[in-house]
Amino acid sequence: MAPIQSNGQHATSSLDALSELYGNTFSVIKSMALKAALDLGIADAIHHHGGAATMAQIATRVTLHPSKIPCLRRLMRVLTLSGIFAVQKPAPGDAAAEADEAPMYTLTPVSRLLIGAGNQRHMMSMLLHPCFIAPFFRISDWLQLELPEPCMFKHTHGQSFWEMTNEDAAFNTVVNDGMASDSAFMMDILVREHGEVFQGISSLVDVAGGNGAAARAIAKAFPEVKCSVMDLAHVVADAPRGTGVEFIAGDMFDSIPAAHAVFLKWIMHDWSDNDCVKILRNCKKAIPSRDAGGKVIIMDIVVGVGPSDQKHRDVQILFDALIMFVNGVERDEQEWKKLFVEAGFSSYKIMPVMGFRSIIEVYP
């Protein structure tokens, strides 16, 4: 009987492996289902009905042909599988609800991030934009080319990410809106929960700070800190006015305006080690000595640092794969340390307080 049992165990193991293989292959459907939910406004539809809605109620709030309601039900199945939405179970003893076969779909902590103030719709829409997704269909071709050029994005689209944001106004809006939504969400947590990072400084320049969402949050929370944003001329030209934040046109590879502190939010992972060292050396020139309180404040991923649960680790690894599209890299502590030493800084402190991202203070 032993061989039969062994064969049976082998078959079970193979079938489990096959299910896992299919699961990985179908992961893209989860992403596309989320994109559809964003495009259709499904979270808003459920929120409109008090946070719980039937399929018929959702269908009345989204642009949908009546014949596609069964297809929407299948989409919602995927979205509940992903944890974007949940299905509400009838309360025990609620005979009327139990008799009603229509499921009630509810918001989850994940989908609540897609509604209301500080929502992450624009950020997720940016990451799920076809221009972001397309390069990964050609990753195997790109891997056969020598670094550094073309980057994966340019290999696919014929121009770099930065060239496209400069020349395509619609795409530039998608990117700016995405980064602004991330800044609004993350900066609210940073200034509210970890405001000590900005205490004791009199001025701060947000390098490559886009439309100034991060700098505005700092200025609002700490009015004693003079905040400015330095970015490329075409970005500064479209920046909002009358916000209390100064906008300066410039290139971080040339020089950075003098300030008590320099802020780099999600910038360094876009660039090679050599480029990062150039940026950091310019930061060091812009700030006073450590004794005078000078420092560089970096918000970025430190791979392997932060909450130990699997979901945070997974996001760090997946972000490292994503950022290859601009020849970028997410770094572990030793890789960060190497940059700081080469740029001439004396020490640093990592604070893993921002989920899968960290705050790093770097001192001259």
Side-chain angles (χ1 to χ4, degrees):
M1 297 295 291
I4 296 176
Q5 185 180 19
S6 177
N7 289 341
Q9 289 174 343
H10 177 74
T12 300
S13 176
S14 296
L15 290 171
D16 287 345
L18 182 63
S19 292
E20 188 168 346
L21 184 61
Y22 270 103
N24 278 283
T25 301
F26 290 153
S27 290
V28 65
I29 297 175
K30 292 183 179 181
S31 300
M32 294 303 102
L34 174 57
K35 185 179 187 308
L38 292 168
D39 293 343
L40 293 170
I42 293 176
D44 286 323
I46 295 175
H47 179 64
H48 175 79
H49 288 282
T54 64
M55 187 62 58
Q57 290 172 325
I58 295 171
T60 62
R61 299 288 302 180
V62 302
T63 304
L64 180 77
H65 192 278
S67 67
K68 296 289 175 59
I69 291 179
C71 300
L72 179 61
R73 181 174 291 108
R74 291 153 73 180
L75 179 70
M76 291 301 294
R77 238 185 241 162
V78 175
L79 292 165
T80 54
L81 174 70
S82 304
I84 307 298
F85 302 110
V87 177
Q88 185 179 70
K89 296 180 180 179
D94 189 340
E98 290 174 352
D100 186 356
E101 296 181 358
M104 294 287 288
Y105 295 96
T106 63
L107 298 172
T108 65
V110 177
S111 49
R112 288 190 183 279
L113 292 179
L114 304 177
I115 60 174
N119 73 74
Q120 294 296 286
R121 276 185 308 218
H122 289 302
M123 186 62 183
M124 297 306 112
S125 293
M126 182 190 85
L127 293 173
L128 292 170
H129 191 281
C131 286
F132 276 75
I133 299 298
F136 290 90
F137 286 99
R138 303 190 64 188
I139 190 170
S140 56
D141 297 334
W142 174 77
L143 285 169
Q144 298 173 54
L145 304 175
E146 184 179 1
L147 284 172
E149 290 292 340
C151 66
M152 199 191 305
F153 193 94
K154 188 172 184 177
H155 178 60
T156 300
H157 299 297
Q159 59 184 163
S160 72
F161 174 78
W162 317 111
E163 289 169 340
M164 184 175 286
T165 56
N166 190 25
E167 297 173 15
D168 186 329
F171 182 66
N172 187 53
T173 297
V174 168
V175 173
N176 283 338
D177 287 349
M179 297 309 296
S181 70
D182 179 75
S183 288
F185 182 82
M186 297 301 292
M187 294 306 299
D188 177 67
I189 295 172
L190 181 58
V191 300
R192 180 164 36 87
E193 303 292 336
H194 309 287
E196 66 276 6
V197 170
F198 304 105
Q199 290 174 355
I201 61 175
S202 58
S203 60
L204 175 144
V205 57
D206 181 6
V207 174
N211 66 7
R216 291 197 303 272
I218 297 168
K220 182 178 179 180
F222 303 96
E224 71 278 10
V225 180
K226 180 184 177 183
C227 293
S228 57
V229 174
M230 190 197 80
D231 214 316
L232 297 174
H234 76 274
V235 177
V236 170
D238 294 332
R241 304 302 172 187
T243 62
V245 172
E246 181 184 7
F247 287 86
I248 304 167
D251 188 330
M252 61 188 175
F253 292 107
D254 294 333
S255 65
I256 291 171
H260 210 150
V262 173
F263 188 49
L264 296 165
K265 176 187 173 291
W266 238 0
I267 303 300
M268 305 294 277
H269 68 172
D270 291 332
W271 302 99
S272 68
D273 285 2
N274 288 338
D275 286 336
C276 284
V277 170
K278 290 178 186 176
I279 296 167
L280 286 168
R281 284 175 177 165
N282 285 335
C283 290
K284 189 170 182 290
K285 293 175 184 176
I287 60 176
S289 67
R290 180 172 184 174
D291 290 341
K295 63 181 177 179
V296 178
I297 305 166
I298 299 172
M299 182 190 291
D300 223 316
I301 289 174
V302 182
V303 177
V305 170
S308 59
D309 56 281
Q310 193 62 43
K311 64 184 176 184
H312 286 90
R313 293 288 190 261
D314 287 353
V315 171
Q316 291 180 340
I317 291 168
L318 292 170
F319 250 115
D320 187 37
L322 169 75
I323 208 65
M324 286 196 300
F325 84 107
V326 289
N327 286 346
V329 58
E330 303 293 357
R331 297 172 171 89
D332 62 25
E333 182 174 355
Q334 290 308 307
E335 291 168 321
W336 279 110
K337 181 179 179 180
K338 180 174 178 288
L339 298 181
F340 302 148
V341 170
E342 287 189 24
F345 286 86
S346 64
S347 61
Y348 65 91
K349 179 173 68 175
I350 295 174
M351 294 169 278
V353 295
M354 302 302 290
F356 62 87
R357 282 174 277 192
S358 293
I359 295 297
I360 314 173
E361 289 188 347
V362 194
Y363 310 105

